[in-house]
Amino acid sequence: MKLLISLKVNGQTHDLAIAPHHTLLGVLREEVGLTGTKRGCDDGDCGTCTVLIDGNPITSCMLLAVDAQEKEITTIEGLAVNGQLHPVQQAFIDHGGLQCGFCTPGVILTAKYLLEQDPAPTDEQIRLGLAGNLCRCTGYVLILEAISASRDGKMQKAEATR
Amino acid sequence: MTIYPFEYFEPKELEEASSAFFEHGSEAAILAGGTDLLNMLKANILKPKVVINIKGVPGLSGIEEIDGELQLGTLTSIHDLETSKIIQENFPALSEAASFLGSIQIRFLATVGGNICRAAPSAETAPPLMAYDAQVYMYGPNGERSLPLKEFFSGPGQTVLAEGEILTKFKLPIPALRSGSAYLRHSIRQLMDLAIVNVAVSLTLDEDSETIKEARIVLGAVAPTPMHASAAEKELIGKPATLEIFEKAAQTAAQESKPISDVRSTQDYRRAMVQLFTRRALEKALPRAAQKN
Amino acid sequence: MTTELKVVGKSLPRVDAYAKVTGQAEFTMDVNLPGMLYGKILRSPHPHARIKNIDTSEAEKLNGVLGVITGKDTKDMRYAFVDTPRYPADQYPLAQDKVRYIGDEVAAVAAVNPETAQAALDLIKVEYEILPAVFDPYEAMKPDAPTIHDAEIQGDSIWEEWGAEKTKKSDANEKVNNVSGRTVITYGDPDKAFAESHHIREDRFETAATAHCALEPHAAVAHYDPAGQMHLWLSGMGIYYKRYVLSKVLEMPTSQVRLHKVYIGGAFGGKMDVYPYEICAALLSKKTGRPVKIELTRGEVFTTTRLRFPTYIDIKTGVSKDGKILSQHIRTVVNNGGYRGTGPVVIYLFHGWTAPVYRVKNMRYEGISVWTNIPVGGPQRGHGAPQIRFAIDSQLDMIAEDIGMDPAEMMLKNVRKIGETLPNGDVLNSCGLIDCVTQAVELSDWKEKRGAPGSDRTERKNGSIVRGVGISTTTMISGAPYYPFASAGIVKLHDDGAATLISGVVEMGQGAETTLSQIVAEELGISLDDVRIVAGDTEQSPIDMGSFLSGGATVTGAAIRLAAADAKRQLLEVASERLDAMVEELDISDGIVCVRDRPDRCMSIGDVVNYSVKKTGDPIIGHGSRKILSGTSRYPSLAKGTGRWTDAYGFNAQVAEVEVDTETGQVKLVRATTFHDCGTPLNPQIVAGQVHGCVSTGQGQALMEEIVYDDGRVLNPTFQDYRLPITLDTPETAGTEVESFEPAGPFGAKEVGEGVVAQTLAAIANAVYDAVGVRITTLPITPQKVLAALENQKKPPKNNK
Ligand SMILES: Cc1cc2nc3c(=O)[nH]c(=O)nc-3n(C[C@H](O)[C@H](O)[C@H](O)COP(=O)(O)OP(=O)(O)OC[C@H]3O[C@@H](n4cnc5c(N)ncnc54)[C@H](O)[C@@H]3O)c2cc1C
């Protein structure tokens, strides 16, 4: 049995026929064709499948696609505007906050949420906020640096001039 | 890791949800936040024919103070518990517990009702809700009923919910003056881990601000269900709130607990940690009680 | 060395960064081909069983199932990472007669979607005769233990065509039940030196099985083109190594197996081996005529893609009065699991990670790997170094205390220096160990924090929290001989002055695409922005040793520098004609070729290329190559440890500072001060990233990480129960490179990225001891163990001296 659903991803509406047991992660990757959202564990434990739903980060492996309708879904592909990177993406490049790149989309989306929530988070708040994004390459040091460099309203300022 | 296909149902009324749930019996599963359910489906621990998503049912979420009681809808997200002002002020152990659950990504999805219905011995919100004397409300084929939360769990992963019954809300009395509470969790990793031991305590002091009038100590992960350390609670009542008394109650709590050894920890270690974290939680709750005059 | 570097040595942004921050970087699981099927593997639920019958008929009938294969389809496909005359391959893609661990591959299916593939697996009926199983290596060696590999495996080794010699049956070692590999290395006169020692200690250490935890789960996409080519996208670390083994297994010409480029989402050793699921994807594609994708689940990754070997280490060490190590007797036993994996390699490597660090003239080393019925061991970041360095440097700390010496001082008495020759003949042409130790000691305030040997620690207590510091050192090779035994590179120039580097290197996070591009830019005198890279495709790129054995910077880097130099030579020859000057008079800077000190006689690289094409048709293409090990074509002997092994060693020292909660036993790494000798850092930011990653993994494996088994079943195959560090565990980090130059490497560069992981373990264990006086000798150092030890501790021996 397939259901007709409609998902709004990165501002575009996708009408899809999917089985109800498909997760948002699977549908984004296999039906919508947005493979920037990664399947690292499929258990909710690693954060590589993080997307924003109405601005809030969630693990897309833990949400059925049917259940994600009528919401604004943002994936990593939705951050750059006309080829111009989002300031957080740029900060990760500048500070070397990535290595293999597999956790990077989820980390960047979570970081964007944290900085939108609070333009000046403390070190501790950043660490708490990113606890659900595992990374084995970086030991987190340069990831945390990239985010710290975007706080105190710097992300917002850079965004305004984008 | 592959979910078996199922039929999907989105009821718009509680009644409709409950009767569908009743009709399909053990072949159906309720979907709230899904953070437990999806894992059980992926691990093929559950292979329901029908999944009933209750998120479209009105009136099942929200945090409200009504007549000296806090009403908590089953679908209230863990993130809302963590960040709600009313809860932070009146039920700090509950918001503290919420802040330990999973990650931000999980807390936006997970619901308080799901945490309780999953009935994991280590469930984060169970000890604080029990320490606040939560009453749980259920709706089923025979209408609504309610129970003290401590009577809700019947074993690891098991509850008293009858066929077709859906948890709808919790009610928590607003704590009396001179009450203080705290939640502590011990786990290997600070977050993204399950408790080796979790403890919620609440203390209410007499007018003299010294004698303990009421005490709740609730332990998680050290028995088949979250449990009151009843003997330890009794030991505290009527005594002056001193470190010695706390230590003694903590010892009693450790004796009362029934931990097992598993992949997360050993029996002996858990018991030692019950004692330590009970004492630490009491020490943390006491100044809060003294403040709330 | 004297000329100033413009691109190399700079923390330039990674060339793969844009693709990675935008989600465009393609990993294996992102490859989707038209008509693609999904494959799944049926695995053994038993640790040891004989397969009596497999019935796939129901599965084959299921609508949507297009292919089912079993051991019958892989009968002639014996293969393994270790496949030498002494240790012939012991594995098949799908089990033949027996299964040997829980997770062993039994059958595979391909279907139109993952759900159908899963349903098909459920329909395959396997009849097993359950056999007694054994999980402990010491038990497995007993004569009455179940024998895991019944018959001595016969047959040729694939390495013979590359010069491995058949050994005669006169192997001196007595045959012991289930022993899969054995290494014995001796030099000097250990007995005599023990007799002369002032102090002798014997200790035992044990380390747990740990998992790589690359965030990208292993995946394979295979597409067999009926014209005869097998197209593959694999989660790998070396495309040429995988191609070779796959071509042998699939009985195809090597050049008909093509590995396509994908980014690798972390590897750490776990993606080096060729795995059954990769072969199954290829076989299923051949069988169905359609592309087949197999994505392993996280649980499968945890149990079936190799683990760090659980290891038992006994060390006896004799020292002189002034702390010089005189003699050492080391015995190691590794639990190999159901197949050899790299068991016979790791027991050889254990010795390899001790010889370059401390000067020990009298040594008896014995290593044994043993088949059991747990999951298979394999290479993992450091490949043996974490285990042996944990043991050696824990014991050094103990000995230092015994003889009343500061352990850092004792290290300095024993570490090797530049110019020394190791027992196997390797020469240390660069070695910054002394600097690593002294600088780590200085920057960490070691003297202040540690206090004099035997001094009182009680004043350090803050509530239930006590701080302590510990130190450890380590080493790592820079490439060792293995197929394809060399790396090569091609650099072609464009008429706009840019260059394209073509390399077989695999980018898995280590930054190879960036650092290799920096080498090209530096050599050619252009900016990094003007270097394009084509990498990781066997059809397009020349051979590459692979991104394992830590040879990327030194070997591949050297090959690529030669390729760039070759292009530059050709470029200058053309320019010299055009600019009417001698080649020696020409300089290139910022993409412009000029006659030295004649800014009026210049032309851009693009114009030179343009001129060259117009004149002779030559677009200018440089190439270069480098053998992995210079000056010899023999391989080191795994069994005897003889023979040269690498051209350069990297070195490190680290001081760890921990906080121990004496009430919970919980240990927190608060600060890691690491100094490393990687020669010239090609890109300091990338080097720092490697070091941070190593510290984090070392910290995890010291304190939290452990695969837990029950009768061969992995009890914690999830990220929830197998705990790698999260953001909140990140310590403060300090330290940097020491001044060093490796002549074998490009611009003086050598290994970084593997070694550091190894020293964090002993540094932490020693810091715990320094803090609270309990010595944990079995990893990981869990709160339970620390608390139990604290309770057993009657009087803290430290304060008691
Ligand atoms: C990565 C990760 C980390 C986690 N960490 C923690 C943690 O630290 N601590 C912790 O306690 N838990 C943790 N969990 C478990 C889980 O997130 C919580 O238990 C969560 O609160 C469950 O809520 P849910 O709404 O997602 O439940 P669901 O998955 O929707 O439901 C859980 C169960 O309850 C039933 N159910 C739900 N609502 C009702 C209802 N109203 N009436 C009747 N039955 C109902 C469902 O049928 C299902 O069986 C974690 C989970 C993940 C994936």
Side-chain angles (χ1 to χ4, degrees), chain B residues 1-5 39 42 44 47 102 185-194 196 247 262-270 272-273 276-277 279-280, chain C residues 40 114-116 118-119 122 297-299 464 661 663-666 668 703-704 708 715-716 719-726 728-729 782-784 787 791:
Chain B
M1 274 297 123
T2 312
I3 305 182
Y4 285 89
N39 269 340
K42 287 176 185 183
N44 300 330
K47 294 183 193 173
R185 170 174 104 165
H186 183 45
S187 51
I188 304 273
R189 287 190 301 206
Q190 188 180 332
L191 285 180
M192 296 309 284
D193 209 339
L194 295 187
I196 291 173
E247 182 59 43
D262 64 10
V263 63
R264 253 165 237 129
S265 192
T266 60
Q267 191 173 31
D268 286 349
Y269 185 74
R270 279 203 162 102
M273 291 305 105
L276 177 64
F277 283 88
R279 192 199 79 208
R280 287 185 178 178
Chain C
K40 282 193 183 285
E115 291 88 337
T116 309
Q118 180 66 44
D122 297 349
T297 64
R298 182 51 62 182
S464 60
D661 184 333
E663 289 181 333
T664 61
Q666 207 149 22
K668 189 174 165 55
L703 298 175
M704 308 188 279
V708 186
L715 296 181
N716 56 339
F719 282 137
Q720 181 162 69
D721 288 327
Y722 181 93
R723 304 177 185 84
L724 57 141
I726 58 174
L728 291 154
D729 299 308
T782 60
Q784 274 109 298
L787 198 67
E791 261 149 37

Side-chain angles (χ1 to χ4, degrees), chain C residues 515-571:
Chain C
T515 51
L516 296 176
S517 298
Q518 282 179 273
I519 289 173
V520 170
E522 184 69 52
E523 189 63 35
L524 286 176
I526 60 180
S527 80
L528 182 59
D529 290 340
D530 284 332
V531 181
R532 329 265 167 255
I533 180 161
V534 173
D537 182 326
T538 53
E539 196 64 52
Q540 297 175 355
S541 19
I543 59 167
D544 187 81
M545 65 164 289
S547 300
F548 46 87
L549 295 161
S550 274
T554 314
V555 179
T556 302
I560 277 155
R561 187 178 182 188
L562 289 171
D566 186 34
K568 181 178 177 180
R569 177 188 55 76
Q570 299 175 47
L571 181 84

Side-chain angles (χ1 to χ4, degrees), chain A residues 43-45 62, chain B residues 29-37 39-40 54 74 78 100-102 106 109-111 113-115 117-118 122-124 161 165-167 185 192-194, chain C residues 720:
Chain A
D43 267 336
D45 291 327
M62 284 285 120
Chain B
I30 296 288
L31 170 69
T35 58
D36 277 319
L37 185 69
N39 269 340
M40 291 189 279
I54 58 171
T74 185
I78 302 292
F100 275 105
L101 194 148
I106 296 297
L109 293 172
T111 67
N115 194 233
C117 290
R118 171 72 182 87
S122 61
E124 224 65 60
L161 281 175
E165 261 186 332
I166 291 171
L167 194 157
R185 170 174 104 165
M192 296 309 284
D193 209 339
L194 295 187
Chain C
Q720 181 162 69

Side-chain angles (χ1 to χ4, degrees), chain C residues 189-251:
Chain C
D189 187 343
D191 292 339
K192 182 161 165 269
F194 277 124
E196 289 163 2
S197 295
H198 161 73
H199 179 66
I200 295 175
R201 256 198 95 101
E202 284 182 62
D203 296 285
R204 154 159 280 219
F205 301 89
E206 292 179 21
T207 64
T210 58
H212 306 85
C213 300
L215 266 289
E216 176 209 17
H218 297 54
V221 177
H223 181 23
Y224 182 69
D225 166 359
Q229 209 171 29
M230 181 67 78
H231 296 270
L232 294 162
W233 293 256
L234 303 174
S235 307
M237 300 170 69
I239 52 173
Y240 275 89
Y241 170 68
K242 283 215 175 184
R243 182 181 79 154
Y244 182 58
V245 175
L246 284 163
S247 75
K248 294 286 164 190
V249 173
L250 299 171
E251 292 186 352

Side-chain angles (χ1 to χ4, degrees), chain A residues 99-116:
Chain A
Q99 288 182 24
C100 81
F102 198 81
C103 74
T104 309
V107 169
I108 288 180
L109 288 166
T110 310
K112 173 177 183 280
Y113 159 80
L114 289 173
L115 291 162
E116 258 158 23

